[in-house]
């Protein structure tokens, strides 16, 4: 999956979307509404190939779902040093993000992986600025967005 923090996003009218993109949106709606219970049933109902659905499912969203969904998931690899998690969380809270979940692996060979789920409704900066702040921390070896409804 490409790093979404380095991607550009555009708001486009529905009539300029490809047929496959429009059908992907329809299939996603069928799934989210509970009208169908499987991807196979959704793509069959809208006459779309499963490969096209998988190609576009993480790339096209109804505008209202992006505006409503303000949860960001960030994956970081940290050097195992005393106080790194506290400094990381302080950096995040200084941008007015609400930390929803934290998952940290046991440090192995001096490194630990941390996954943060953040509510960014009140975030005081842009996503790229937050990511740059995290990457500038001397103990952060890598940081990437793994999912976002915040863009």
């Amino acid at each position: 999956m490409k790093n979404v923090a380095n991607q550009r996003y555009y708001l486009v009218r529905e009539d300029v979307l490809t047929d496959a993109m429009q059908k992907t949106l329809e299939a996603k709606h069928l799934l989210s509404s509970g009208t169908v219970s499987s991807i196979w049933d959704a793509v069959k109902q809208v006459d779309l190939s499963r490969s096209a659905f998988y190609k576009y499912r993480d790339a096209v969203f109804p505008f209202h779902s992006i505006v409503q969904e303000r949860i960001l998931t960030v994956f970081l690899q940290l050097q195992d040093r005393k106080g790194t998690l506290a400094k990381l969380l302080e950096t995040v809270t200084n941008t007015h993000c609400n930390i929803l979940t934290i998952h940290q692996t046991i440090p192995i060979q001096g490194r630990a992986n941390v996954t943060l789920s953040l509510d960014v409704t009140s975030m005081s900066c842009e996503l790229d600025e937050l990511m740059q702040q995290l990457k500038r921390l001397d103990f952060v070896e890598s940081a990437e967005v793994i999912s976002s409804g915040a863009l």
Side-chain angles (χ1 to χ4, degrees):
M1 180 174 163
K2 292 181 182 177
N3 184 349
V4 294
N6 296 327
Q7 301 293 310
R8 290 186 184 185
Y9 291 83
Y10 302 92
L11 182 63
V12 298
R13 285 189 333 261
E14 180 181 27
D15 63 319
V16 297
L17 295 175
T18 66
D19 188 49
M21 289 177 177
Q22 290 180 21
K23 288 181 178 184
T24 299
L25 288 167
E26 291 175 40
K28 288 172 63 171
H29 175 72
L30 291 172
L31 288 162
S32 68
S33 68
T35 304
V36 296
S37 59
S38 70
I39 291 171
W40 172 251
D41 291 334
V43 297
K44 186 176 174 184
Q45 188 166 329
V46 299
D47 191 30
L48 178 69
S49 70
R50 283 189 310 154
S51 63
F53 176 82
Y54 285 115
K55 179 179 180 179
Y56 295 120
R57 76 173 175 175
D58 294 326
V60 295
F61 303 94
F63 179 70
H64 66 86
S65 71
I66 295 295
V67 173
Q68 292 172 352
E69 185 64 43
R70 303 286 295 170
I71 296 174
L72 174 69
T73 305
V74 180
F75 177 81
L76 304 109
Q77 187 172 53
L78 310 178
Q79 294 174 4
D80 181 29
R81 293 192 228 155
K82 184 177 180 178
T84 57
L85 185 59
K87 290 176 187 173
L88 173 69
L89 298 180
E90 179 182 17
T91 301
V92 170
T93 57
N94 285 342
T95 62
H96 303 284
C97 293
N98 182 29
I99 300 166
L100 301 173
T101 65
I102 303 168
H103 180 271
Q104 179 177 346
T105 62
I106 295 173
I108 298 175
Q109 297 181 349
R111 289 174 181 76
N113 296 325
V114 174
T115 304
L116 300 176
S117 295
L118 309 171
D119 177 346
V120 294
T121 304
S122 300
M123 186 165 64
S124 61
C125 62
E126 295 294 323
L127 175 59
D128 58 341
E129 184 181 334
L130 170 64
M131 295 307 294
Q132 290 305 317
Q133 286 182 36
L134 295 176
K135 290 175 182 178
R136 280 194 296 265
L137 296 170
D138 64 342
F139 52 84
V140 173
E141 293 187 354
S142 67
E144 64 182 82
V145 174
I146 56 174
S147 72
S148 174
L151 304 172

